[in-house]
Amino acid sequence: MKINTKYEIGQRVWVVYKNQGEASVYDDYIDEICVNNQKQIYYILKNACIDREEEEIVLYEDKETLVEKIKGILKESEEK
């Protein structure tokens, strides 16, 4: 079985997620890629030693998408 992923092991990425109504951002490297029984893809990060879903990850070089994700989280928090 072949599983296609957006990111690869070893890539440097930004992790962007909502934390208590604020945007949290840090960079890390993808250490492992896991797929559960529901075929959801999770990326295990090297330094943080935690897993993150694909929608929380942005390539390190893609600053435009990084800014858009941060703006989206902030806008969502303002609307609440």
Side-chain angles (χ1 to χ4, degrees):
M1 173 170 69
K2 182 175 178 170
I3 298 171
N4 295 318
T5 60
K6 188 173 181 179
Y7 306 105
E8 298 176 10
I9 293 173
Q11 282 187 307
R12 188 174 185 183
V13 294
W14 291 106
V15 179
V16 185
Y17 62 99
K18 186 174 172 180
N19 182 20
Q20 298 179 357
E22 296 180 344
S24 293
V25 180
Y26 64 91
D27 69 310
D28 208 332
Y29 292 86
I30 296 173
D31 195 39
E32 297 178 41
I33 301 172
C34 299
V35 180
N36 65 14
N37 291 340
Q38 292 79 31
K39 298 186 180 176
Q40 293 172 298
I41 299 170
Y42 292 93
Y43 296 88
I44 311 296
L45 303 173
K46 185 175 185 174
N47 298 316
C49 295
I50 58 172
D51 62 316
R52 290 292 181 183
E53 295 182 25
E54 200 164 81
E55 60 267 2
E56 297 176 315
I57 295 178
V58 177
L59 279 178
Y60 189 80
E61 297 81 16
D62 191 357
K63 306 293 192 268
E64 187 175 312
T65 302
L66 173 63
V67 170
E68 290 305 313
K69 282 199 170 275
I70 293 168
K71 286 181 179 179
I73 290 171
L74 296 176
K75 183 178 179 182
E76 185 180 301
S77 294
E78 289 174 1
E79 292 173 354
K80 288 186 175 183

